Amino acid sequence: METEGLEWLLVPVQQLVSWGAAGAMVFGGVVPYVPQYRDIRRTQNAEGFSTYVCLVLLVANILRILFWFGRRFESPLLWQSIIMIITMLLMLKLCTEVRVSNELNIKRRSFADFDLNYFWHWSKFTDYVQCVLTFTGVTGYITYLCLDSSLFVETLGFLAVFTEAMLGVPQLYRNYRNRSTEGMSVKMVLMWTSGDTFKTVYFILNQAPFQFSICGLLQVFVDIAILLQVYLYSSYPQKPMSHPVHPASAKAL
């Protein structure tokens, strides 16, 4: 009798925990960017944040959505990708507006120029949207043609999560080159670390495709490396690396 009573209580509790975990997966990934977005908006300075982080996440989540058509995984992971794409577009919009307003160079660059020196360093947000739509269209068409190939589908899944695992690398390199983490939100990186740890555990417990778990662990290691940079450069200030100025300039990152 007591066992039946406990089961009656445990079932809704387990359901609530399941819903909570799913909600954390869907929205938890975008939370780290809230403090960074607010810092950029408040200071009107986007130099400390690498917009290549947005590029990495856009590519990774577009590929993950395409992977879903070949191998269905849990819906919270699918919704997480959709929410993340929207968030990265909002981050790009803000960073582009702030950067252009602070630039002295009046010459404008666009996606249609097809100038690799200025790739992902365009003057209008619409150029980034055009690039994202072009990438989505091309990869979507290739995926449609190759959906019957299990090798292609599994490779697509690996590329999606491996690209996402490289999320922190642009920021890691930017910090290394500047010998500083100034302008980067430490709260964002702390949230990256906690979120990636939770996400990796979620992948393992829910038996997600093995690519997800492996690359989740890689993400955690990169996050820890960035946190080590925060400690190193704050405790032992260093001079920025000297590097030649070229057309793309440091702002390309």
Side-chain angles (χ1 to χ4, degrees), residues 46-72:
E47 290 301 309
F49 176 71
S50 174
T51 54
Y52 278 96
V53 169
C54 299
L55 173 62
V56 169
L57 281 174
L58 285 168
V59 170
N61 285 282
I62 289 169
L63 292 178
R64 186 196 284 183
I65 291 173
L66 295 176
F67 176 54
W68 182 84
F69 288 99
R71 181 176 175 184
R72 301 296 171 91

Side-chain angles (χ1 to χ4, degrees), residues 36-221:
Q36 184 70 69
Y37 185 93
R38 294 178 62 184
D39 286 347
I40 294 173
R41 195 176 185 86
R42 176 176 54 83
T43 62
Q44 289 298 296
N45 186 346
E47 290 301 309
F49 176 71
S50 174
T51 54
Y52 278 96
V53 169
C54 299
L55 173 62
V56 169
L57 281 174
L58 285 168
V59 170
N61 285 282
I62 289 169
L63 292 178
R64 186 196 284 183
I65 291 173
L66 295 176
F67 176 54
W68 182 84
F69 288 99
R71 181 176 175 184
R72 301 296 171 91
F73 47 79
E74 289 193 331
S75 58
L77 299 179
L78 178 64
W79 281 107
Q80 181 197 51
S81 293
I82 296 172
I83 298 296
M84 183 61 75
I85 289 173
I86 295 172
T87 303
M88 288 303 101
L89 290 175
L90 291 174
M91 286 291 296
L92 272 177
K93 186 175 186 298
L94 176 64
C95 290
T96 304
E97 291 173 351
V98 169
R99 176 172 51 80
V100 171
S101 66
N102 293 334
E103 273 186 346
L104 298 177
N105 184 8
I106 60 173
K107 189 171 183 180
R108 297 298 183 239
R109 301 290 176 176
S110 68
F111 172 65
D113 292 338
F114 297 110
D115 186 347
L116 292 179
N117 288 326
Y118 288 91
F119 176 76
W120 212 249
H121 190 66
W122 303 305
S123 304
K124 292 183 179 180
F125 172 65
T126 52
D127 294 303
Y128 294 94
V129 175
Q130 290 173 16
C131 179
V132 171
L133 290 177
T134 300
F135 175 78
T136 304
V138 172
T139 53
Y141 180 68
I142 294 173
T143 302
Y144 173 75
L145 294 177
C146 303
L147 270 181
D148 292 335
S149 170
S150 59
L151 176 61
F152 173 83
V153 171
E154 293 300 326
T155 302
L156 184 65
F158 175 77
L159 288 175
V161 291
F162 182 75
T163 303
E164 185 176 355
M166 294 296 102
L167 163 65
V169 173
Q171 192 68 55
L172 184 74
Y173 173 71
R174 186 187 188 91
N175 297 341
Y176 170 73
R177 192 185 63 186
N178 294 339
R179 292 292 197 273
S180 169
T181 58
E182 184 178 356
M184 181 197 74
S185 172
V186 179
K187 291 180 182 178
M188 177 186 72
V189 182
L190 288 171
M191 290 180 181
W192 275 357
T193 308
S194 58
D196 291 336
T197 302
F198 171 81
K199 182 172 61 177
T200 303
V201 173
Y202 181 89
F203 289 157
I204 295 172
L205 294 180
N206 287 273
Q207 298 181 339
F210 75 96
Q211 301 102 318
F212 286 44
S213 301
I214 294 174
C215 293
L217 289 171
L218 181 57
Q219 269 186 285
V220 174
F221 290 142

